[in-house]
Amino acid sequence: MATAPEIDAPKETLDAFRTEVRAWLVANFPPSLKGKDDPMSAVEAPKPLSDEEQAWKAAMGAKGWGVPSWPREYGGGGLNRAEVRVLQEEMARAGAWNPIGGMGVMMFGPTLLEYGSEEQKREHIPAIARGEVRWCQGYSEPGAGSDLASLQTFAEDHGDHYIVNGQKTWTSGGQWADKCFALVRTDKTKKHEGITFVLIDMDTPGVEVKPIRLISGSSPFCETFFTDVKVPKANRVGAEGQGWTIGKRLLQHERNSLSGGGSAAGRLFAAGKPVSEIAKAYVGVDAEGRIADADLRTRIIRHDMDIRAFMLTLRRAAAEARSNQGPSAATSIMKNVGSRIIQERSELILEIRGMAGLGWEGEGFSEAELADTRAWLFGKAVTIYGGSSEIQNNVIAKRILGMLDHQ
């Protein structure tokens, strides 16, 4: 499992560990990187790492603290949940960010730790833990988005390997990825039971990637075409026909990350500039130092309360996930709530900035103003990717509320 051990350390041990973490951060985290974000997490093409960023990434990878709860034997930190919390607290105090991330950490790694063979874990997990390999996801297809189980990308059995033909879409970061974890059909006579989980090297002959440009101006998503792509059966995770079960588990890990539990949303809520500060700068303050617009002030307060309640709920859900050996269907609730809050934040910021919030490029706009406009446009996707809000509502109704379809 990718979760931290349940047994927490005694206070004395935690105090000693906190001292160790602080000393290690002083020795390894460059002060010039304080407060910066991970350049590898850019929505557009990943930015090249500076020498200091590369050194920081190498240090975290060697220590295993980029994936602190993963087992040590695969390159993780092997920390228990209390130690993970201490590490997170001390990194936040130092202004340090985690340079090890991406889909390998968010989704594939935790899933492989559950379903992969020992050989597959030894081959793939250490490289993910060191941030050496970039992964992408081959799930959705032009005719299989919300109804993912209707996917038609076919893997034909050729003895010790499959020959894969088909198309995937919305392949996030596909143009920069080294490898792809994908759902393919190995049996056309069965729907869910005919799906298999395979790993595909993106440099294999027959793999073609075409970026899709979004209204935000970025191109993080792609169309991916597979034409007679040879995939060794050693790259199959689990048994043939077990792909739907494995794929659903991976989606729980994805939704857990997208909801804010350690990914972009979490960083935004924790470190993004407070909306109230932006409002004071653009709208002004009254005689008492409050945001001048009383209605806007009330809506911002409600928004801030939602964020705080959401972050506290995430912490509780994370603790419950560790107790239950991984994320549950409750991640669908978190994903929907987190998506709504992200979109509300962008809407508020654009309203606050007025004309200054409508810039696309050129002079007359600050870098932050342009970035927030594009973030607002990109944010329209958060209620779609990772499973649309409608799909999450179905999961909530069936898996949490126990509601069944009646003919």
Side-chain angles (χ1 to χ4, degrees), residues 3 114 248-249 251-256 259 316-318 320-322 324-335 392 395-396 399-400:
T3 54
E114 290 188 59
K248 286 194 300 180
R249 184 57 166 168
L251 288 175
Q252 287 185 329
H253 288 294
E254 178 184 21
R255 290 160 187 165
N256 183 54
S259 69
R316 187 177 73 248
E320 291 175 353
R322 295 187 184 105
N324 296 329
Q325 297 300 300
S328 68
T331 55
S332 292
I333 298 175
M334 301 305 169
K335 201 271 184 177
Q392 308 307 332
V395 173
I396 293 165
R399 302 288 175 81
I400 298 176

Side-chain angles (χ1 to χ4, degrees), residues 61 67 72 80 90-91 125 130 144 159 161 163 176 200 206 210 223 227 236 238 241 295 314-315 327 351 391 394:
V67 284
R72 280 198 178 92
N80 63 47
E90 291 304 314
M91 287 183 64
I125 298 299
R130 293 190 297 267
H161 66 278
I163 294 296
W176 310 306
I200 302 174
K210 295 182 178 180
E223 295 178 289
T227 304
R236 184 186 69 210
D295 175 68
L314 281 178
R315 289 176 61 181
E351 176 187 345
I391 292 297
N394 285 341

Side-chain angles (χ1 to χ4, degrees), residues 33-62:
L33 300 183
K34 183 175 182 180
K36 292 186 178 181
D37 201 1
D38 178 7
M40 298 295 283
S41 68
V43 172
E44 197 56 82
K47 301 174 184 178
L49 297 178
S50 67
D51 290 343
E52 287 186 325
E53 289 167 341
Q54 187 61 55
W56 170 234
K57 180 180 178 181
M60 281 287 280

Side-chain angles (χ1 to χ4, degrees), residues 254-369:
E254 178 184 21
R255 290 160 187 165
N256 183 54
S257 294
L258 293 177
S259 69
S263 74
R267 291 196 300 273
L268 170 65
F269 297 149
K273 190 172 184 179
V275 177
S276 58
E277 290 186 16
I278 299 174
K280 288 179 180 180
Y282 284 81
V283 178
V285 297
D286 61 17
E288 299 180 34
R290 303 175 302 178
I291 297 169
D293 186 321
D295 175 68
L296 177 62
R297 184 170 68 239
T298 299
R299 286 186 287 131
I300 290 175
I301 290 172
R302 288 174 178 167
H303 176 69
D304 287 345
M305 291 171 64
D306 283 347
I307 290 177
R308 296 187 185 190
F310 179 66
M311 295 305 290
L312 288 172
T313 303
L314 281 178
R315 289 176 61 181
R316 187 177 73 248
E320 291 175 353
R322 295 187 184 105
S323 299
N324 296 329
Q325 297 300 300
S328 68
T331 55
S332 292
I333 298 175
M334 301 305 169
K335 201 271 184 177
N336 273 3
V337 175
S339 298
R340 174 182 62 80
I341 294 176
I342 288 173
Q343 292 181 343
E344 285 180 353
R345 174 187 166 88
S346 290
E347 296 282 354
L348 278 171
I349 290 175
L350 258 66
E351 176 187 345
I352 289 166
R353 285 188 165 144
M355 290 297 294
L358 300 178
W360 180 255
E361 60 185 5
E363 298 180 357
F365 301 97
S366 69
E367 184 177 337
E369 289 167 349

Side-chain angles (χ1 to χ4, degrees), residues 168-186:
K168 296 293 182 179
T169 193
W170 308 122
T171 313
S172 303
Q175 67 269 58
W176 310 306
D178 304 299
K179 297 178 183 291
C180 174
F181 51 89
L183 293 179
V184 298
R185 185 162 299 285
T186 48

